[in-house]
Amino acid sequence: LILFFCSTSLVAQKPHTILITYHSKSGKTALMANAIAKGAAIHIDIKIVIKPIEQTSTSDLVNADAIILGSPVHNANLSSDVLKFIESWPFEGSPLKNKIGAAFVTGGGISSGEELVQVSILHAMLVFGMVVVGGEDWTAPFGASAITNEAPFDTKMNDAFLVKGQNLGKRVAESVLRWHKK
């Protein structure tokens, strides 16, 4: 009888990875992405990869433990760039199955379609077999969102929205640590 013992301190483990990817023309969705990264970064066991969708590869998606996707709201819909990005995701063999997924959006006005776009992102993630999470509490059930172009939210990104982004990042990081134990 031969027994093998392995100490986890001797084995280098790859950190968990959260991919935060987004489309942003005005820079406001990018601001939310950075707030989300700040919230997720409170956990030292998490590697944060943040990049625009045009720089995000299939390898980035497949190698992530969680994917947080952001879109501006265009006429109560995803931006066409985000829709094309989702359509490019790998489907064969279910490589995204059991990854944590979450959504964030920026919309010009109150009730301009933020929740519709968040749910569209979450629906797509569910089709790929992902496990989706919403925001920290009832005020952000579908993820994080921000109003960017209607009074009183039309001068700069309101801190309350950035806090919702940070809370989403924190919740996703905590979910990754629970779901993807190594």
Side-chain angles (χ1 to χ4, degrees):
L1 176 64
I2 300 174
L3 298 175
F4 292 95
F5 294 94
C6 181
S7 168
T8 56
S9 63
L10 298 177
V11 178
Q13 291 192 3
K14 184 181 102 180
H16 295 287
T17 301
I18 295 176
L19 170 64
I20 303 167
T21 187
Y22 60 90
H23 175 236
S24 184
K25 282 188 177 179
S26 70
K28 292 178 180 171
T29 308
L31 267 176
M32 282 291 285
N34 287 315
I36 291 166
K38 182 178 179 182
I42 65 168
H43 297 281
I44 60 171
D45 296 339
I46 303 281
K47 174 185 172 189
I48 309 298
V49 176
I50 181 169
K51 54 175 69 176
I53 58 172
E54 60 271 10
Q55 296 175 13
T56 302
S57 68
T58 299
S59 177
D60 291 326
L61 294 166
V62 171
N63 291 323
D65 295 298
I67 301 166
I68 308 174
L69 177 58
S71 177
V73 176
H74 290 180
N75 301 313
N77 289 297
L78 299 163
S79 75
S80 59
D81 291 19
V82 172
L83 185 57
K84 288 176 193 168
F85 175 65
I86 292 170
E87 290 171 350
S88 76
W89 288 3
F91 198 77
E92 191 68 35
S94 302
L96 304 183
K97 184 177 182 180
N98 292 331
K99 294 183 183 300
I100 302 293
F104 67 101
V105 301
T106 55
I110 299 167
S111 299
S112 66
E114 297 86 15
E115 288 183 351
L116 293 170
V117 174
Q118 288 173 305
V119 169
S120 292
I121 292 170
L122 298 176
H123 279 166
M125 290 176 165
L126 289 168
V127 168
F128 284 88
M130 296 174 69
V131 178
V132 299
V133 298
E136 184 74 6
D137 60 29
W138 70 270
T139 66
F142 306 110
S145 64
I147 308 303
T148 62
N149 200 26
E150 181 178 338
F153 308 114
D154 55 354
T155 55
K156 68 177 188 90
M157 181 72 74
N158 186 287
D159 288 342
F161 300 132
L162 297 174
V163 168
K164 284 186 182 197
Q166 289 174 6
N167 289 340
L168 178 63
K170 180 181 175 204
R171 180 146 193 245
V172 170
E174 291 167 348
S175 297
V176 165
L177 292 174
R178 269 194 305 276
W179 184 259
H180 293 287
K181 292 179 181 167
K182 292 192 177 185

Coordinates of all heavy atoms in Angstrom, one line a residue, residues 59-130:
S59 N -10.8 32.6 -25.7 CA -9.9 32.1 -24.6 C -10.2 32.8 -23.3 O -10.3 32.2 -22.2 CB -8.4 32.2 -25.0 OG -7.6 31.8 -24.0
D60 N -10.4 34.1 -23.4 CA -10.7 34.9 -22.2 C -12.0 34.3 -21.5 O -12.1 34.1 -20.3 CB -10.9 36.3 -22.5 CG -9.7 37.1 -22.9 OD1 -8.6 36.7 -22.3 OD2 -9.8 38.0 -23.7
L61 N -13.0 34.1 -22.4 CA -14.3 33.6 -21.9 C -14.2 32.2 -21.3 O -14.7 31.9 -20.2 CB -15.3 33.5 -23.1 CG -15.8 34.8 -23.7 CD1 -16.5 34.6 -25.0 CD2 -16.7 35.6 -22.7
V62 N -13.5 31.3 -22.0 CA -13.4 29.9 -21.6 C -12.5 29.8 -20.3 O -12.8 29.0 -19.4 CB -12.8 29.0 -22.7 CG1 -12.4 27.6 -22.2 CG2 -13.8 29.0 -23.9
N63 N -11.5 30.6 -20.1 CA -10.6 30.5 -19.0 C -11.1 31.3 -17.7 O -10.5 31.1 -16.7 CB -9.2 31.1 -19.4 CG -8.5 30.1 -20.3 OD1 -8.7 28.9 -20.2 ND2 -7.8 30.7 -21.3
A64 N -12.2 32.0 -17.9 CA -12.8 32.7 -16.7 C -13.7 31.8 -15.9 O -14.4 30.9 -16.4 CB -13.6 33.9 -17.2
D65 N -13.7 32.0 -14.6 CA -14.6 31.4 -13.7 C -15.9 32.1 -13.7 O -17.0 31.6 -13.3 CB -14.0 31.3 -12.3 CG -12.8 30.4 -12.2 OD1 -12.9 29.2 -12.5 OD2 -11.7 30.9 -11.9
A66 N -15.9 33.4 -14.0 CA -17.1 34.3 -14.0 C -16.9 35.3 -15.1 O -15.8 35.7 -15.4 CB -17.3 35.0 -12.7
I67 N -18.1 35.6 -15.7 CA -18.1 36.6 -16.8 C -19.2 37.6 -16.4 O -20.3 37.3 -16.2 CB -18.5 35.9 -18.2 CG1 -17.5 34.9 -18.5 CG2 -18.6 37.0 -19.2 CD1 -17.9 34.0 -19.7
I68 N -18.7 38.9 -16.3 CA -19.6 40.0 -16.0 C -19.7 40.8 -17.3 O -18.6 41.4 -17.7 CB -19.2 40.8 -14.8 CG1 -19.0 39.9 -13.6 CG2 -20.3 41.9 -14.5 CD1 -18.4 40.6 -12.4
L69 N -20.8 40.9 -17.9 CA -21.0 41.5 -19.2 C -21.7 42.8 -19.1 O -22.8 42.9 -18.5 CB -21.6 40.6 -20.2 CG -21.9 41.1 -21.6 CD1 -20.6 41.6 -22.3 CD2 -22.6 40.1 -22.5
G70 N -21.2 43.9 -19.7 CA -21.9 45.2 -19.7 C -22.2 45.8 -21.0 O -21.5 45.6 -22.0
S71 N -23.4 46.4 -21.1 CA -23.8 47.0 -22.4 C -24.5 48.4 -22.1 O -25.2 48.5 -21.1 CB -24.8 46.1 -23.0 OG -25.4 46.7 -24.2
P72 N -24.3 49.3 -23.0 CA -25.2 50.5 -22.9 C -26.6 50.1 -23.4 O -26.7 49.1 -24.1 CB -24.5 51.5 -23.9 CG -23.7 50.6 -24.8 CD -23.3 49.4 -24.1
V73 N -27.6 50.8 -23.0 CA -28.9 50.6 -23.5 C -29.2 51.4 -24.7 O -29.0 52.6 -24.7 CB -29.9 51.0 -22.4 CG1 -31.4 50.8 -22.8 CG2 -29.7 50.1 -21.1
H74 N -29.5 50.7 -25.8 CA -29.9 51.3 -27.1 C -31.3 51.0 -27.4 O -31.6 49.9 -27.8 CB -28.9 50.8 -28.2 CG -27.5 51.3 -28.0 ND1 -26.6 51.0 -29.0 CD2 -26.9 52.1 -27.1 CE1 -25.4 51.5 -28.6 NE2 -25.6 52.2 -27.5
N75 N -32.2 52.0 -27.2 CA -33.6 51.8 -27.5 C -34.2 50.6 -26.8 O -34.9 49.8 -27.4 CB -33.8 51.7 -29.0 CG -33.3 52.9 -29.8 OD1 -33.6 54.0 -29.3 ND2 -32.6 52.8 -30.8
A76 N -33.9 50.4 -25.5 CA -34.3 49.3 -24.7 C -33.8 48.0 -25.1 O -34.4 47.0 -24.8 CB -35.9 49.3 -24.6
N77 N -32.7 48.0 -25.8 CA -32.0 46.8 -26.3 C -30.5 46.8 -26.0 O -30.0 47.9 -25.7 CB -32.2 46.6 -27.8 CG -33.6 46.3 -28.2 OD1 -34.1 45.2 -27.8 ND2 -34.2 47.2 -28.9
L78 N -29.9 45.6 -26.1 CA -28.4 45.6 -26.0 C -27.9 46.4 -27.2 O -28.5 46.5 -28.2 CB -28.0 44.1 -26.3 CG -28.4 43.1 -25.3 CD1 -28.2 41.7 -25.9 CD2 -27.6 43.2 -24.0
S79 N -26.7 46.9 -27.0 CA -26.0 47.5 -28.2 C -25.8 46.4 -29.2 O -25.6 45.2 -28.9 CB -24.7 48.1 -27.8 OG -23.7 47.2 -27.6
S80 N -25.8 46.7 -30.5 CA -25.6 45.7 -31.5 C -24.2 45.1 -31.4 O -24.1 43.9 -31.7 CB -25.8 46.3 -32.9 OG -24.8 47.4 -33.1
D81 N -23.2 45.8 -30.9 CA -21.9 45.2 -30.7 C -21.9 44.1 -29.6 O -21.3 43.1 -29.8 CB -20.9 46.3 -30.3 CG -20.6 47.2 -31.4 OD1 -21.3 47.3 -32.4 OD2 -19.5 47.9 -31.3
V82 N -22.7 44.3 -28.5 CA -22.8 43.3 -27.5 C -23.5 42.1 -28.0 O -23.2 40.9 -27.7 CB -23.4 43.9 -26.2 CG1 -23.7 42.8 -25.2 CG2 -22.5 44.9 -25.6
L83 N -24.6 42.3 -28.8 CA -25.3 41.2 -29.3 C -24.5 40.4 -30.2 O -24.4 39.1 -30.1 CB -26.6 41.7 -30.1 CG -27.5 40.6 -30.6 CD1 -28.0 39.7 -29.5 CD2 -28.7 41.3 -31.3
K84 N -23.7 41.0 -31.1 CA -22.7 40.3 -32.0 C -21.7 39.5 -31.1 O -21.3 38.4 -31.5 CB -22.0 41.2 -32.9 CG -22.9 41.7 -34.0 CD -22.2 42.7 -34.9 CE -23.2 43.5 -35.8 NZ -22.6 44.7 -36.4
F85 N -21.3 40.1 -30.0 CA -20.3 39.5 -29.2 C -20.9 38.2 -28.6 O -20.2 37.1 -28.6 CB -19.9 40.5 -28.1 CG -19.0 39.9 -27.0 CD1 -17.7 39.5 -27.3 CD2 -19.4 39.8 -25.7 CE1 -16.8 39.0 -26.4 CE2 -18.6 39.3 -24.7 CZ -17.3 38.9 -25.1
I86 N -22.1 38.3 -28.0 CA -22.7 37.1 -27.5 C -22.9 36.0 -28.5 O -22.7 34.8 -28.3 CB -24.1 37.5 -26.8 CG1 -23.9 38.3 -25.6 CG2 -24.9 36.2 -26.5 CD1 -25.1 39.0 -25.0
E87 N -23.3 36.4 -29.7 CA -23.5 35.5 -30.8 C -22.2 34.8 -31.2 O -22.2 33.7 -31.8 CB -24.1 36.2 -32.1 CG -25.5 36.6 -31.9 CD -26.1 37.4 -33.0 OE1 -25.3 37.9 -33.8 OE2 -27.3 37.7 -33.0
S88 N -21.0 35.3 -30.8 CA -19.7 34.7 -31.1 C -19.3 33.7 -30.0 O -18.2 33.1 -30.2 CB -18.7 35.8 -31.3 OG -18.3 36.4 -30.1
W89 N -20.0 33.7 -28.9 CA -19.5 32.8 -27.8 C -19.5 31.3 -28.3 O -20.4 30.9 -29.0 CB -20.5 33.0 -26.6 CG -20.3 34.3 -25.9 CD1 -19.5 35.3 -26.2 CD2 -21.0 34.6 -24.7 NE1 -19.7 36.3 -25.3 CE2 -20.6 35.9 -24.4 CE3 -21.9 34.0 -23.9 CZ2 -21.0 36.6 -23.2 CZ3 -22.4 34.7 -22.8 CH2 -22.0 36.0 -22.5
P90 N -18.6 30.6 -27.7 CA -18.5 29.1 -28.1 C -19.7 28.4 -27.5 O -20.0 28.5 -26.3 CB -17.2 28.7 -27.5 CG -17.0 29.6 -26.3 CD -17.6 30.9 -26.8
F91 N -20.3 27.6 -28.3 CA -21.5 26.8 -27.9 C -21.2 25.3 -27.8 O -21.6 24.6 -26.9 CB -22.6 27.1 -28.9 CG -24.0 26.7 -28.3 CD1 -24.6 27.5 -27.4 CD2 -24.6 25.6 -28.8 CE1 -25.9 27.2 -26.9 CE2 -25.9 25.2 -28.3 CZ -26.5 26.0 -27.3
E92 N -20.5 24.8 -28.8 CA -20.2 23.4 -29.0 C -19.4 22.9 -27.7 O -18.4 23.4 -27.4 CB -19.4 23.1 -30.2 CG -19.3 21.6 -30.6 CD -20.6 21.0 -31.0 OE1 -21.4 21.7 -31.6 OE2 -20.8 19.8 -30.7
G93 N -19.9 21.8 -27.1 CA -19.3 21.2 -26.0 C -19.5 22.0 -24.6 O -19.0 21.6 -23.6
S94 N -20.3 23.0 -24.7 CA -20.7 23.8 -23.5 C -19.6 24.3 -22.6 O -19.5 24.1 -21.4 CB -21.7 22.9 -22.6 OG -22.8 22.5 -23.3
P95 N -18.6 25.0 -23.3 CA -17.4 25.4 -22.5 C -17.7 26.5 -21.4 O -16.9 26.8 -20.6 CB -16.5 26.0 -23.5 CG -17.3 26.4 -24.7 CD -18.5 25.4 -24.7
L96 N -18.9 27.2 -21.5 CA -19.3 28.2 -20.5 C -20.2 27.7 -19.4 O -20.5 28.4 -18.5 CB -19.9 29.4 -21.2 CG -19.1 30.0 -22.4 CD1 -19.9 31.2 -22.9 CD2 -17.7 30.4 -21.9
K97 N -20.5 26.4 -19.5 CA -21.4 25.8 -18.5 C -20.8 25.9 -17.1 O -19.6 25.7 -16.9 CB -21.7 24.3 -18.9 CG -22.7 23.6 -18.0 CD -22.9 22.2 -18.4 CE -23.9 21.6 -17.6 NZ -24.2 20.2 -18.0
N98 N -21.7 26.3 -16.2 CA -21.3 26.4 -14.8 C -20.4 27.6 -14.4 O -19.9 27.6 -13.3 CB -20.8 25.1 -14.2 CG -21.9 24.0 -14.2 OD1 -23.0 24.3 -14.0 ND2 -21.5 22.8 -14.3
K99 N -20.2 28.4 -15.3 CA -19.5 29.7 -15.0 C -20.5 30.6 -14.4 O -21.7 30.6 -14.7 CB -18.8 30.3 -16.2 CG -17.7 29.5 -16.8 CD -17.1 30.1 -18.0 CE -16.0 29.3 -18.6 NZ -14.9 28.9 -17.7
I100 N -20.0 31.5 -13.5 CA -20.9 32.5 -12.9 C -21.1 33.6 -13.9 O -20.1 34.0 -14.6 CB -20.3 33.1 -11.6 CG1 -20.0 32.0 -10.6 CG2 -21.2 34.2 -11.0 CD1 -21.2 31.3 -10.0
G101 N -22.3 34.1 -14.1 CA -22.5 35.2 -15.0 C -23.3 36.3 -14.3 O -24.1 36.1 -13.4
A102 N -23.0 37.5 -14.7 CA -23.7 38.7 -14.2 C -23.8 39.8 -15.3 O -23.0 39.8 -16.2 CB -23.1 39.2 -12.9
A103 N -24.7 40.8 -15.1 CA -24.9 41.8 -16.1 C -24.8 43.2 -15.5 O -25.2 43.4 -14.3 CB -26.2 41.6 -16.7
F104 N -24.4 44.2 -16.3 CA -24.5 45.6 -15.9 C -24.7 46.4 -17.1 O -24.4 46.0 -18.3 CB -23.2 46.0 -15.2 CG -22.0 46.1 -16.0 CD1 -21.5 47.3 -16.5 CD2 -21.2 44.9 -16.2 CE1 -20.3 47.3 -17.2 CE2 -20.0 45.0 -16.9 CZ -19.6 46.2 -17.4
V105 N -25.4 47.5 -16.9 CA -25.8 48.3 -18.1 C -25.8 49.8 -17.6 O -25.9 50.1 -16.5 CB -27.3 48.0 -18.6 CG1 -27.4 46.6 -19.0 CG2 -28.3 48.3 -17.5
T106 N -25.7 50.7 -18.7 CA -25.9 52.1 -18.5 C -26.9 52.6 -19.5 O -26.9 52.2 -20.7 CB -24.6 52.9 -18.7 OG1 -24.0 52.5 -20.0 CG2 -23.5 52.5 -17.7
G107 N -27.9 53.3 -19.0 CA -29.0 53.8 -19.8 C -29.1 55.3 -19.7 O -28.8 55.9 -18.7
G108 N -29.5 55.9 -20.8 CA -29.6 57.4 -20.8 C -30.6 57.9 -19.8 O -30.4 59.0 -19.2
G109 N -31.8 57.3 -19.7 CA -32.8 57.8 -18.9 C -33.5 56.8 -18.0 O -33.3 55.6 -18.1
I110 N -34.2 57.3 -17.0 CA -35.0 56.5 -16.1 C -36.0 55.7 -16.9 O -36.7 56.3 -17.8 CB -35.6 57.3 -15.0 CG1 -34.5 58.1 -14.2 CG2 -36.5 56.5 -14.1 CD1 -35.0 59.2 -13.3
S111 N -36.1 54.5 -16.7 CA -37.1 53.6 -17.4 C -36.8 53.6 -18.9 O -37.8 53.4 -19.7 CB -38.5 54.0 -17.1 OG -38.8 53.9 -15.8
S112 N -35.6 53.6 -19.3 CA -35.3 53.6 -20.7 C -34.9 52.2 -21.2 O -34.5 52.0 -22.4 CB -34.1 54.5 -21.1 OG -32.9 54.1 -20.5
G113 N -35.1 51.2 -20.3 CA -34.9 49.8 -20.8 C -33.7 49.1 -20.0 O -33.3 48.0 -20.5
E114 N -33.2 49.7 -18.9 CA -32.1 49.0 -18.2 C -32.4 47.6 -17.8 O -31.6 46.7 -18.1 CB -31.7 49.8 -17.0 CG -31.2 51.2 -17.3 CD -32.4 52.3 -17.4 OE1 -33.5 51.9 -17.0 OE2 -32.1 53.3 -17.9
E115 N -33.5 47.4 -17.2 CA -33.8 46.0 -16.7 C -34.1 45.1 -17.9 O -33.7 43.9 -17.8 CB -35.1 46.0 -15.8 CG -34.8 46.6 -14.5 CD -35.9 46.6 -13.5 OE1 -37.1 46.2 -13.9 OE2 -35.7 46.9 -12.3
L116 N -34.6 45.5 -19.0 CA -34.8 44.7 -20.2 C -33.5 44.2 -20.7 O -33.3 43.0 -21.1 CB -35.6 45.4 -21.3 CG -37.0 45.8 -21.0 CD1 -37.6 46.7 -22.0 CD2 -37.9 44.5 -20.9
V117 N -32.5 45.1 -20.8 CA -31.2 44.7 -21.3 C -30.5 43.8 -20.3 O -29.9 42.8 -20.7 CB -30.4 46.0 -21.6 CG1 -28.9 45.6 -22.0 CG2 -31.0 46.8 -22.7
Q118 N -30.6 44.1 -19.0 CA -30.0 43.1 -18.0 C -30.5 41.7 -18.2 O -29.8 40.8 -18.2 CB -30.2 43.6 -16.6 CG -29.4 44.9 -16.3 CD -29.7 45.4 -14.9 OE1 -30.9 45.7 -14.7 NE2 -28.8 45.6 -14.1
V119 N -31.9 41.6 -18.3 CA -32.5 40.3 -18.4 C -32.1 39.7 -19.7 O -31.9 38.4 -19.8 CB -34.0 40.4 -18.2 CG1 -34.7 39.2 -18.6 CG2 -34.4 40.8 -16.8
S120 N -31.9 40.4 -20.8 CA -31.5 39.9 -22.1 C -30.1 39.2 -21.9 O -29.9 38.1 -22.4 CB -31.5 40.9 -23.2 OG -32.8 41.3 -23.5
I121 N -29.2 39.9 -21.2 CA -27.9 39.4 -21.0 C -28.0 38.1 -20.2 O -27.3 37.1 -20.5 CB -27.0 40.4 -20.3 CG1 -26.7 41.6 -21.3 CG2 -25.7 39.8 -19.8 CD1 -26.0 42.8 -20.6
L122 N -28.8 38.1 -19.1 CA -28.9 37.0 -18.2 C -29.5 35.8 -19.0 O -29.1 34.7 -18.8 CB -29.7 37.3 -17.0 CG -29.0 38.4 -16.1 CD1 -30.0 38.7 -14.9 CD2 -27.7 38.0 -15.6
H123 N -30.5 36.1 -19.8 CA -31.1 35.0 -20.6 C -30.1 34.3 -21.5 O -30.0 33.1 -21.6 CB -32.2 35.5 -21.5 CG -33.5 35.7 -20.8 ND1 -34.5 36.5 -21.4 CD2 -34.0 35.3 -19.7 CE1 -35.6 36.5 -20.6 NE2 -35.3 35.8 -19.5
A124 N -29.2 35.1 -22.1 CA -28.2 34.6 -23.0 C -27.3 33.7 -22.2 O -26.9 32.6 -22.6 CB -27.4 35.7 -23.7
M125 N -26.9 34.2 -21.0 CA -26.0 33.4 -20.2 C -26.6 32.1 -19.8 O -25.9 31.0 -19.7 CB -25.6 34.2 -18.9 CG -24.7 35.4 -19.3 SD -24.3 36.4 -17.8 CE -22.9 37.3 -18.5
L126 N -27.9 32.1 -19.5 CA -28.6 30.8 -19.1 C -28.6 29.9 -20.3 O -28.5 28.6 -20.1 CB -30.0 31.2 -18.6 CG -30.1 31.8 -17.3 CD1 -31.5 32.4 -17.1 CD2 -29.7 30.9 -16.2
V127 N -28.7 30.3 -21.5 CA -28.7 29.5 -22.7 C -27.4 28.8 -22.8 O -27.3 27.6 -23.2 CB -29.0 30.3 -24.0 CG1 -28.7 29.5 -25.2 CG2 -30.5 30.7 -24.0
F128 N -26.3 29.4 -22.4 CA -25.0 28.8 -22.4 C -24.7 28.0 -21.2 O -23.6 27.5 -21.0 CB -23.9 29.9 -22.6 CG -23.9 30.4 -24.0 CD1 -24.7 31.5 -24.4 CD2 -23.0 29.9 -24.9 CE1 -24.6 32.0 -25.7 CE2 -22.9 30.4 -26.2 CZ -23.8 31.4 -26.6
G129 N -25.7 27.8 -20.3 CA -25.5 27.0 -19.1 C -24.8 27.6 -17.9 O -24.4 27.0 -17.0
M130 N -24.7 28.9 -18.0 CA -24.1 29.7 -16.9 C -25.0 29.8 -15.7 O -26.3 29.7 -15.8 CB -23.7 31.0 -17.4 CG -22.6 31.0 -18.5 SD -22.2 32.6 -19.2 CE -21.3 33.3 -17.8

